[in-house]
Amino acid sequence: MTTLTLVQGDITLESVDAIVNAANSSLLGGGGVDGAIHRRGGPAILEECRRLRAARYGGGLPTGQAVATTAGALDARWVIHTVGPVYQRSGADPGLLASCYRESLKVADSLGARSVAFPAISTGVYRWPMDDAARIAVETVRGMETAVEEVRFVLFDERAFRAFAEQVRTPYGGGQGPSPES
């Protein structure tokens, strides 16, 4: 069974096999988590992203999909880039947000990653409501068959941490509560 742990902090400082990047579709960096990962990881990540754009993703990485690159200077082997959906006033497709977590774990499995750090995808400038995003993330990860041994949700602030902690405590799927790190 995959262990779920929660950490409040900076995802770029995590020591894991793979760090998930809440990327924009261009794969060329941006703001928020995406910008922080590119800045701290260095130019090797951007170089691989440019190669991916040239070879397979000329129109950008589709929403809900995931692809891996080197982690550059991060304390990880890989960065898994995924593009979350933008939340609109009328809502958005929760299936696309769930797909970000599913596809990222599938990529992690294909790489042999055993520990993966996720941010709260789509909750920044893409405006997905935090409580709903936490529910979707935790339910999706719990529902996945994966060889990943630890999924670590790295939440930037206390509000996000609390929303995810509430979902992790929910008995659906028999998951564990927040780790001692939290």
Side-chain angles (χ1 to χ4, degrees):
M1 182 169 81
T2 302
T3 300
L4 303 183
T5 57
L6 303 178
V7 177
Q8 184 177 334
D10 181 346
I11 197 166
T12 68
L13 300 177
E14 293 300 308
S15 178
V16 290
D17 292 333
I19 293 175
V20 176
N21 180 18
N24 66 51
S25 65
S26 77
L27 295 175
L28 301 178
V33 170
D34 194 19
I37 285 173
H38 276 270
R39 280 190 303 278
R40 180 128 339 169
I45 297 171
L46 183 57
E47 288 171 22
E48 277 199 44
C49 284
R50 284 187 175 138
R51 283 195 292 274
L52 284 168
R53 283 290 307 250
R56 292 181 19 206
Y57 299 107
L61 183 65
T63 301
Q65 297 301 303
V67 65
T69 65
T70 181
L74 297 171
D75 191 10
R77 294 180 66 193
W78 304 282
V79 171
I80 299 172
H81 306 267
T82 190
V83 180
V86 175
Y87 190 85
Q88 305 294 331
R89 280 199 173 145
S90 60
D93 181 358
L96 284 175
L97 183 54
S99 181
C100 292
Y101 292 94
R102 268 194 314 276
E103 295 302 314
S104 294
L105 287 172
K106 287 178 185 177
V107 170
D109 281 340
S110 75
L111 296 168
R114 294 296 173 254
S115 57
V116 177
F118 278 99
I121 298 168
S122 285
T123 61
V125 296
Y126 288 6
R127 299 183 311 276
W128 202 286
M130 186 62 72
D131 291 339
D132 192 45
R135 179 189 59 76
I136 292 166
V138 171
E139 286 180 2
T140 302
V141 169
R142 283 182 172 160
M144 278 290 296
E145 287 190 31
T146 179
V148 172
E149 296 167 1
E150 179 193 8
V151 167
R152 189 178 306 169
F153 291 107
V154 183
L155 297 315
F156 189 72
D157 61 20
E158 188 174 332
R159 181 176 73 89
F161 183 87
R162 276 193 244 147
F164 274 74
E166 181 63 31
Q167 293 302 314
V168 169
R169 281 188 207 101
T170 302
Y172 170 81
Q176 299 179 6
S179 72
E181 296 174 10
S182 46

